[in-house]
Amino acid sequence: MFLTKENMDFYESEGFLVLENFVSLEECESLRQRAMAIVENFDPSESFSIFTTNEQTRHSDLYFLESGDKIRCFFEEEAFNENGELRQSKSFSINKIGHAMHDLDQVFDNFSRTSQLEKIAQDLGFIDPRIIQSMFIFKQPFIGGEVVCHQDSAFLYTEPLSVKGFWFALEDSTKENGCLWAIPGGHKIGLKSRFCRSKDGLGTEFKVFDESPWEISKLIPLEVKAGTMIVLNGLLPHLSYANRSERTRHAYTMHLTEGEADYPESNWLQRSTEMPLRGF
Ligand code: FE2
């Protein structure tokens, strides 16, 4: 076991777990440098795809839908001014990189596939864990977009439910620069919606099972230092507010699903049969 009994009890009751000093500051820096190099090499004319959870349906396009087995850059919703020009330099305009960095980039592959993380996955109950997606999240200064309250299982649905998130703060994450907020114990409610491909396969839609509003008043901020790992139950409601500060809030996140669970074709994120999901 990597996780202690105390860790496991906390995770079971709260739906998340904070592991401080999990990643060295040198490693945080090397991931940040690698992500910035990917953005440096990104040609914006490839796409003007914007990531927003506010109007997810409208903004979903093929660039996004086909990113499950690629490394693609997505702009912040507020990256462009009314004339369609970037407000800030390209390096301060990208919302995130996704969604197969762990399979296609050596630096992120090495970081994502360690015996420590494999042990944590086993402690959490995975029999045959698969890394289904990875994202580098920039939360840019001034324009870093809000991510509205959601459950990760809505985006990475399996039967039975199995998704868990590993989130790594690569910089200090505070209320000012848009830290995570979560509802402790909120994973005990059921799944409220699913984010699916629309029937024509060209767009996306939410299937809503429970229209009741999120209990926003129960959210608590998870302010953490660089190097902290946060484990998130797939049913835990969480969000992050916009970053209006002058600092970035870099984070890397990967999600695991159980290989033995069914992964429906209606899920938004798919990958080609030539690149099957792998574990550790
Ligand atoms: Fe999430």
Side-chain angles (χ1 to χ4, degrees):
M1 295 280 288
F2 182 89
L3 300 178
T4 64
K5 166 92 170 54
E6 195 185 13
N7 288 158
M8 294 299 296
D9 289 348
F10 186 91
Y11 175 79
E12 293 299 330
S13 79
E14 307 302 306
F16 66 92
L17 182 62
V18 176
L19 301 168
E20 292 173 344
N21 302 311
F22 188 85
V23 185
S24 72
L25 293 182
E26 294 72 37
E27 219 171 351
C28 290
E29 189 55 25
S30 88
L31 293 192
R32 295 180 59 234
Q33 292 300 332
R34 181 62 198 138
M36 288 188 276
I38 291 170
V39 170
E40 192 58 41
N41 292 327
F42 164 61
D43 175 4
S45 65
E46 274 177 38
S47 157
F48 285 99
S49 194
I50 294 167
F51 182 78
T52 163
T53 52
N54 279 323
E55 290 184 81
Q56 202 128 32
T57 305
R58 188 163 72 80
H59 285 294
S60 290
D61 55 15
L62 283 178
Y63 185 80
F64 174 68
L65 282 176
E66 291 172 352
S67 64
D69 50 12
K70 297 181 183 68
I71 295 178
R72 288 188 165 175
C73 297
F74 299 90
F75 283 100
E76 293 280 6
E77 189 178 4
E78 296 176 28
F80 299 93
N81 65 20
E82 58 276 14
N83 300 323
E85 298 151 347
L86 287 178
R87 288 175 206 274
Q88 306 181 162
S89 67
K90 182 179 72 171
S91 60
F92 288 110
S93 296
I94 300 298
N95 171 288
K96 68 175 175 185
I97 308 172
H99 288 92
M101 309 175 77
H102 62 291
D103 282 330
L104 297 171
D105 184 272
Q106 200 58 57
V107 173
F108 286 97
D109 185 356
N110 290 347
F111 178 84
S112 305
R113 292 192 162 91
T114 64
S115 58
Q116 259 186 349
L117 293 179
E118 184 175 23
K119 280 200 194 90
I120 292 174
Q122 287 164 353
D123 292 348
L124 294 169
F126 282 101
I127 296 160
D128 179 15
R130 308 285 175 91
I131 309 176
I132 185 126
Q133 75 167 18
S134 50
M135 296 185 283
F136 189 98
I137 300 165
F138 291 88
K139 208 70 159 174
Q140 299 288 4
F142 309 115
I143 60 166
E146 171 188 21
V147 176
V148 297
C149 200
H150 66 280
Q151 295 165 305
D152 290 339
S153 286
F155 295 88
L156 299 166
Y157 177 79
T158 62
E159 290 173 357
L161 296 175
S162 65
V163 71
K164 290 177 178 64
F166 289 177
W167 187 96
F168 304 91
L170 305 178
E171 296 184 297
D172 293 351
S173 176
T174 67
K175 284 189 271 188
E176 286 67 43
N177 67 354
C179 68
L180 286 181
W181 292 66
I183 299 177
H187 61 301
K188 290 169 189 163
I189 63 166
L191 183 63
K192 282 163 71 82
S193 68
R194 264 189 73 193
F195 185 65
C196 299
R197 288 192 180 223
S198 48
K199 289 224 167 60
D200 61 10
L202 300 173
T204 55
E205 61 194 19
F206 276 101
K207 286 186 184 150
V208 178
F209 312 125
D210 172 358
E211 300 216 8
S212 65
W214 298 108
E215 293 186 285
I216 294 295
S217 63
K218 293 189 176 168
L219 285 163
I220 61 160
L222 302 178
E223 293 190 287
V224 295
K225 291 275 181 212
T228 301
M229 172 178 175
I230 301 180
V231 179
L232 296 163
N233 184 297
L235 284 172
L236 185 77
H238 60 284
L239 60 71
S240 62
Y241 294 108
N243 180 12
R244 300 298 177 203
S245 80
E246 59 194 22
R247 292 193 300 120
T248 51
R249 193 226 67 190
H250 289 178
Y252 175 66
T253 177
M254 51 193 261
H255 286 88
L256 308 183
T257 50
E258 175 54 55
E260 297 187 1
D262 181 47
Y263 188 84
E265 281 178 15
S266 55
N267 278 358
W268 83 268
L269 184 138
Q270 300 290 337
R271 53 166 64 198
S272 89
T273 48
E274 283 131 54
M275 227 174 93
L277 291 175
R278 293 186 292 125
F280 293 90

